[in-house]
Structures are given as C-alpha cells and as structure tokens.
Amino acid sequence: MAAATAAEGGGKELNEIKTQFNTREGVYKLLTHSEYSRPNRVPFNSQGSNPVKVSFVNVNDPSGNGDRICFNVGRELYFYIYKGVRKAADLSKPIDKRIYKGTQPTCHDFNHLTATADSVSLLVGFSAGQVQLIDPIKKETSKLFNEEVSCHENWGRERNGVLLLTSNRLIDKSRVTCVKWVPGLERLFLVAHSSGNMYLYNVENTCGTTAPHYQLLKQGKNYSVHTCKSKSTRNPLLKWTVGEGALNEFAFSPDGKFLACVSQDGFLRVFNFDAVELHGTMKSYFGGLLCMCWSPDGKYIVAGGEDDLVTVWSFVDCRVIARGHGHKSWVSVVAFDHYTTSVEDADPMEFSGSEEDFQGQIHFGRDRANSTQSRLSKCNSTDSRTVHTTYRFGSVGQDTQLCLWDLTEDILFPHLPLSRARTNNPSTNDSGANTPSNSLSSPLPRSNSLPHSPAMTANNKSSAIASGVSKFATLSLHDRKEQHQETDHKRNHSMGHISSKSSDKLNMLTKSRTDPAKTLGTLLCPRMEDLPLLEPLICKKIAHERLTVLIFLEDCIVTACQEGVIWTWARPGKVGLSSQKQAVSPSGTII
C-alpha cells in the first residue's frame, strides 16, 4: 500500500539517518558505543538471511549487570552481557557464540522463570524446522525437538566451530516463525511454523522415532486442535492448525490466559488458550499480517503487516477501533511501551492455579507472579474517568522507519450520540459469535486529526469476558468430553470426540477460504473512512536496511536492522556520565 510521505522531523534530507528524535517527554538519543553486532562487523548476505531477532533476560547477577542479550545474524547466534546505557559494549567477549550449518536461527526466547546467574534456558527455532534448547551460560545443548532420535548423535557435533543440525524432521519441515515459553510454566513451550501449524511441547518429553498421529480435540472455522495419539507420552502434546498460509507471529496476553496470532491470510485470531476456544478475529485491510502485540493490561491488540498500517483492536469489544498510517512499506514489528503508557496506583492482578493432568501429559496449571504491567487505568467506559489514559506503542518496518504512536482517550472512549451508536445491525463474524455489524455507520472525513470513531459503542461486553470463561486446566478429559456432547448442538467447535476418520472432512472445514471482498466494510475489516486514522508522533528513518526489532526497556529503546546491528536509544535523562565518556574501537573493545 502506498503510504503518505512520513514526517522527517526537520531533517535536511529525506534519506538522512536520524541519531535522535524528540517527543513530549524529551529527546531520545542513539548511543553509538552501545551497539551490538557481529565482532568486526563481518559483512553477510542480509537479503538471503532470516530476520535478525533479539531476546533479553535478566539473570539477577549480584554484580548489577544482570541483563543478557541474544541475537541471531545469518547462520550465527550470539549471547552477550547487555550493558545498555550504562557502559560500552565489548563485542570481543561474547559469553557464547554458535555457527550453524544447513539451517539458520529464525527466533528465540528465554525462560525467565528459571534464569539464574549460572544457567539460562534458551529456545531457538530454525529455518529448517528444528527447535533447540540450549544453555548459553554453561555452553550446553540439552535437547533438539522436531528431529529423529537416531540422528541426535550428530546435531551436537561441532566441526571447525560449526554446529551440524540434521534434517530428518518428523513433526514439521517448514520454517519456525515464532517460539515462546508458555507464561508461568517452566516446561511447556509453543512453536509456530510457516506451514500454519503450532505445536505445544514439554521439554521433559521426547519426540518419537516415527511421525506422530493426531486425534481431533476441537475445531472451528479456519482452525483445529489435535492431540498426539500414542501409547506413550511424547511430543508434541497439541497441534494447532490455524488459518491459511504461514503463522507469522503469536503472543500470550499479559495474564497468560489468551493467545493471539497473526497469519499470512491477513487474520488476527485470539484464542482462550486453556479452553482452546476462539475469542475473536480481525482481518487486515489487505495482505498478510506479520506482527502483533498486546497492551500491558491486555485490553487492546495492535497488529501490522503488508497493508502498511497499524491496526488497533479492542479485546473486550472484539472490534477494530483505529488504524495508523505512517509507514511506506510493510510493518515488521509492533510493540507497546509499558514505561510511557499512563498508569494509576492499583492492586496488581494475581493469577494462580494448580496443575492438572491432561491425558497424563499436559499440565496447564498456572502459578503466575504479580505483574506491575497490570497497573494500568481501569477506565472501561466514559463514566467517572479521573485519570488521563494514554497508551504508547511503536512500530518499525521495511521502510527503515521507526514510528511512535499515542492511543488516547478520544479514540478509546469516543463520545457518540446514542442515535449514531445504535444504528448497526447484528451479524456473524469469523468466530461464529454474534457481534454488531456488517454495515458500519456513515463515513468520517479521512484525516490525521484523530476524529471520533463512528463505529458502534461496546455492546455491554465487559472485562467479565476474560474472567468468566472456564479454564481448560480445571477440567479432566472425561469432563470436557461430557461438556462437548452437551453443547454439540449449539456450537460448531466443540467436537473433541470426532474420530480421526473424519480428518478429510475436517480439512475441508478448516481450509474454507474467506473472500476479502466480503469482509471489507464489516466488523472484521472496517473501511478506512469508518475509523479514526492515527498520525504518528514521530516517524524517523533510522537505518539503511529494513528494521526487524523494536523492544522498549526501562531506560532505553532497542532496535535492530537486517544488517545485523542492534542499537540502543537512551530515554530522556537516562544517559549516564560513564557511558558518555566511553568509546569503542572498531574491534569492539572499550577504549
């Protein structure tokens, strides 16, 4: 989609690379001494490589330098002490460095529950479909998943500093697009592939020596969930088939109860993870959706992709509430800034639970720690609001630009006449649930002045949606089957007792195509003129290569591009004297 020319904030030239930008809270500055990359910046073919990704973990190091950073560049994986704005980076001393042959790292995720100064658990996904569990502190490789057992003797072998990974993948042969630990659990993790499948693993279980057989657990429109059918406990525990085309990214809600994922078919789908049920959907303006993120309180999801837009979706109302237009090309990453979003003093939400056996293998129990990220304004309506609510989020894209956006109260809580707010007729969305609206109200003028949304007000859905759904973890398999039988005549996706012989029919159901022309102008995909159009606070060109990383930390913003360089942008007032005085030689050592 051709986007409007982005504001360069007074730059002398359109292609000038920015090293600082100004917002209402002050000036963000690029710290050149805090760059992370390959030692000596060895060039590589960025066009033929998978996107550079960055993961952080804090290991509670008594010395005070507890942050660790992991990033992949081409077929290499690096693990460093991250000093951020405090001290200069020393690229000559990685804690761990790995070079792979036959496959490339594509994504990674730390287990924050088990991380210590002596040991961390890092999951790494690869372009050939494997998932590796490593400990970069101990320099150990524990397990490889999606691999034949007989080949295990080879994948840990190192030749001339290069790790060999075999290619006999039994579960899924397509590229790993996203891998994450299940929140609050030490052993379970979820993996998404470009095949459109997701798999739930337990690190303590093995993968069998033959391809797994599956039994249908539940299915709905354009998704199905299967369990692994075997006599002994083995991985994967569950197989999710979602949408059409690649599953590009997924993320758990802040409380860990819901799972949102975006696919190449252009759909955002949000599931109750424990109950394995679809909560709501949204369709891109056109093209695939490539990225998404949750607001810190779990009330909103922002998605981006091939329509060059950022789209804001309300979790409570299951509807699009705004779009943002500032990028000139595909949006690759969106992220909320937890530290700039307005908050009020409130008791953090607690999440706890006991472990339950599911066929003797799946443990969905939760023991979640309190999160300060849940201390956001609890204003769900326009009544009695005393705290100004503003969410800050950012986006980066293939246009090499960084955009920052503010989601404010005039968008979240539009003051609409009741006559306009109630002019929509109910219809059925992609999830099969009754929701307002195939016909949206009269169009608004298209502008970047944050007009009030003409879309309908909330149809009395409240936060009880999130808390009122029964948890999958509290049901035994027998209880769930009984419930499914009782509700089969009411719901199309409670079919956990269907035999495996109906797989052909199931594939026809789950692969039914949604005509984009039929979704445009509906609740799934409102027209551009029917929604407020957000204008970015800043839109700056900060790299020569496409941007692939955006992470908000307490004292800085971290970005990275496909060239393999990770930048640290100090927040206003966070640049220390020690970091200002230090410099780095071309080899990466401190001068």
Side-chain angles (χ1 to χ4, degrees):
M1 175 178 178
T5 301
E8 286 294 317
K12 296 180 179 179
E13 298 180 7
L14 188 63
N15 292 326
E16 180 185 355
I17 302 298
K18 305 300 179 183
T19 58
Q20 67 180 45
F21 54 86
N22 190 31
T23 65
R24 66 168 184 268
E25 59 268 16
V27 179
Y28 289 76
K29 296 182 179 180
L30 178 64
L31 303 181
T32 55
H33 64 270
S34 294
E35 291 181 358
Y36 286 79
S37 66
R38 291 177 163 199
N40 300 318
R41 298 279 177 86
V42 180
F44 79 106
N45 181 13
S46 61
Q47 298 301 319
S49 299
N50 287 282
V52 173
K53 297 291 181 68
V54 173
S55 296
F56 284 98
V57 68
N58 189 287
V59 298
N60 298 317
D61 192 329
S63 67
N65 283 329
D67 291 329
R68 303 290 182 266
I69 183 173
C70 172
F71 58 91
N72 60 288
V73 181
R75 59 194 184 105
E76 301 172 15
L77 188 74
Y78 293 92
F79 182 70
Y80 281 94
I81 294 176
Y82 181 71
K83 299 176 182 178
V85 302
R86 299 181 299 275
K87 295 182 180 180
D90 186 355
L91 300 183
S92 65
K93 298 179 180 178
I95 298 175
D96 193 17
K97 170 187 174 182
R98 297 174 184 236
I99 305 175
Y100 295 91
K101 183 179 180 181
T103 187
Q104 294 184 6
T106 58
C107 51
H108 30 82
D109 189 44
F110 286 105
N111 191 329
H112 296 269
L113 290 179
T114 61
T116 67
D118 301 320
S119 176
V120 294
S121 294
L122 177 67
L123 289 170
V124 184
F126 292 90
S127 58
Q130 306 95 331
V131 178
Q132 197 177 36
L133 177 64
I134 66 176
D135 187 332
I137 293 181
K138 293 182 177 179
K139 296 181 172 58
E140 294 178 352
T141 303
S142 330
K143 290 184 178 180
L144 188 71
F145 302 91
N146 191 21
E147 193 74 27
E148 191 172 359
V149 174
S150 61
C151 297
H152 280 189
E153 60 184 25
N154 292 325
W155 62 258
R157 186 173 299 168
E158 188 172 314
R159 295 179 184 174
N160 298 323
V162 177
L163 290 169
L164 303 177
L165 289 184
T166 54
S167 56
N168 296 321
R169 292 156 323 275
L170 297 175
I171 297 172
D172 199 307
K173 292 181 171 59
S174 64
R175 177 174 57 94
V176 176
T177 56
C178 189
V179 58
K180 292 184 186 295
W181 294 94
V182 177
L185 299 176
E186 297 182 0
R187 298 185 299 274
L188 296 186
F189 63 91
L190 193 63
V191 181
H193 289 258
S194 59
S195 62
N197 296 324
M198 288 189 296
Y199 302 89
L200 182 67
Y201 290 84
N202 187 321
V203 294
E204 296 181 351
N205 294 350
T206 60
C207 299
T209 57
T210 58
H213 296 278
Y214 299 101
Q215 181 174 2
L216 180 65
L217 173 65
K218 190 169 290 189
Q219 70 93 28
K221 186 174 183 181
N222 289 316
Y223 83 94
S224 63
V225 184
H226 290 74
T227 60
C228 188
K229 186 178 180 181
S230 62
K231 295 181 179 179
S232 58
T233 302
R234 58 177 287 184
N235 281 319
L237 308 182
L238 290 180
K239 174 185 177 181
W240 298 59
T241 301
V242 181
E244 301 171 20
L247 238 173
N248 290 321
E249 188 176 23
F250 67 83
F252 288 94
S253 60
D255 62 12
K257 294 180 179 179
F258 290 85
L259 176 72
C261 54
V262 289
S263 301
Q264 196 59 38
D265 61 7
F267 276 91
L268 162 74
R269 295 176 177 88
V270 182
F271 297 90
N272 182 314
F273 183 67
D274 291 345
V276 198
E277 291 182 348
L278 187 63
H279 170 77
T281 59
M282 182 270 288
K283 176 71 171 61
S284 67
Y285 198 67
F286 67 78
L289 285 176
L290 306 177
C291 55
M292 54 76 52
C293 64
W294 291 84
S295 66
D297 57 358
K299 293 179 181 177
Y300 303 97
I301 293 175
V302 172
E306 296 175 358
D307 54 12
D308 303 354
L309 303 170
V310 292
T311 302
V312 184
W313 188 79
S314 169
F315 172 83
V316 174
D317 300 333
C318 290
R319 67 179 179 92
V320 179
I321 62 172
R323 289 195 180 102
H325 198 187
H327 285 283
K328 301 175 183 178
S329 186
W330 296 357
V331 179
S332 52
V333 183
V334 288
F336 273 89
D337 185 352
H338 295 195
Y339 303 97
T340 308
T341 296
S342 296
V343 298
E344 66 173 348
D345 291 333
D347 293 331
M349 300 170 66
E350 294 187 5
F351 303 96
S352 61
S354 59
E355 288 197 348
E356 299 285 342
D357 287 341
F358 170 47
Q359 290 182 319
Q361 55 181 324
I362 303 178
H363 302 280
F364 282 94
R366 297 277 197 264
D367 185 15
R368 302 184 180 94
N370 294 339
S371 172
T372 57
Q373 296 173 359
S374 64
R375 297 187 302 106
L376 288 165
S377 172
K378 295 183 179 180
C379 303
N380 289 322
S381 69
T382 57
D383 299 330
S384 303
R385 294 198 314 276
T386 58
V387 178
H388 182 68
T389 305
T390 302
Y391 295 84
R392 167 70 59 79
F393 66 92
S395 58
V396 295
Q398 295 195 12
D399 58 1
T400 71
Q401 292 189 132
L402 164 67
C403 292
L404 295 182
W405 315 78
D406 271 355
L407 188 59
T408 53
E409 285 191 333
D410 54 353
I411 300 298
L412 301 175
F413 314 109
H415 301 274
L416 297 176
L418 292 179
S419 59
R420 290 190 65 190
R422 295 177 179 174
T423 57
N424 301 294
N425 297 321
S427 66
T428 302
N429 68 4
D430 186 57
S431 67
N434 288 331
T435 53
S437 121
N438 265 348
S439 60
L440 297 177
S441 50
S442 57
L444 287 174
R446 183 173 176 179
S447 72
N448 288 343
S449 58
L450 302 180
H452 297 318
S453 170
M456 69 301 301
T457 57
N459 56 348
N460 291 329
K461 288 184 180 180
S462 67
S463 57
I465 293 178
S467 60
V469 182
S470 60
K471 295 187 66 177
F472 195 68
T474 62
L475 301 175
S476 68
L477 181 62
H478 176 71
D479 293 336
R480 287 197 303 278
K481 284 186 176 180
E482 288 183 349
Q483 287 196 0
H484 295 163
Q485 292 168 358
E486 292 173 359
T487 57
D488 269 344
H489 65 288
K490 297 180 180 179
R491 300 197 304 192
N492 186 37
H493 54 265
S494 294
M495 301 173 66
H497 60 283
I498 293 180
S499 67
S500 58
K501 294 181 180 180
S502 61
S503 59
D504 293 339
K505 183 179 180 181
L506 172 65
N507 289 334
M508 294 177 62
L509 287 171
T510 58
K511 292 299 181 181
S512 59
R513 292 183 176 273
T514 303
D515 187 354
K518 294 182 180 179
T519 61
L520 184 62
T522 69
L523 188 67
L524 282 174
C525 182
R527 297 182 184 275
M528 293 294 290
E529 61 268 22
D530 291 330
L531 291 171
L533 190 61
L534 302 180
E535 180 181 348
L537 297 176
I538 66 104
C539 196
K540 305 293 184 183
K541 180 180 177 66
I542 63 170
H544 290 295
E545 288 272 1
R546 61 189 186 272
L547 293 164
T548 59
V549 171
L550 175 63
I551 300 173
F552 291 96
L553 301 179
E554 185 174 5
D555 54 5
C556 62
I557 300 176
V558 176
T559 62
C561 72
Q562 192 56 19
E563 188 181 358
V565 184
I566 293 90
W567 294 284
T568 296
W569 301 79
R571 291 185 184 269
K574 296 296 184 180
V575 182
L577 291 177
S578 60
S579 62
Q580 290 179 355
K581 293 179 180 179
Q582 288 177 316
V584 184
S585 71
S587 63
T589 57
I590 300 174
I591 298 175

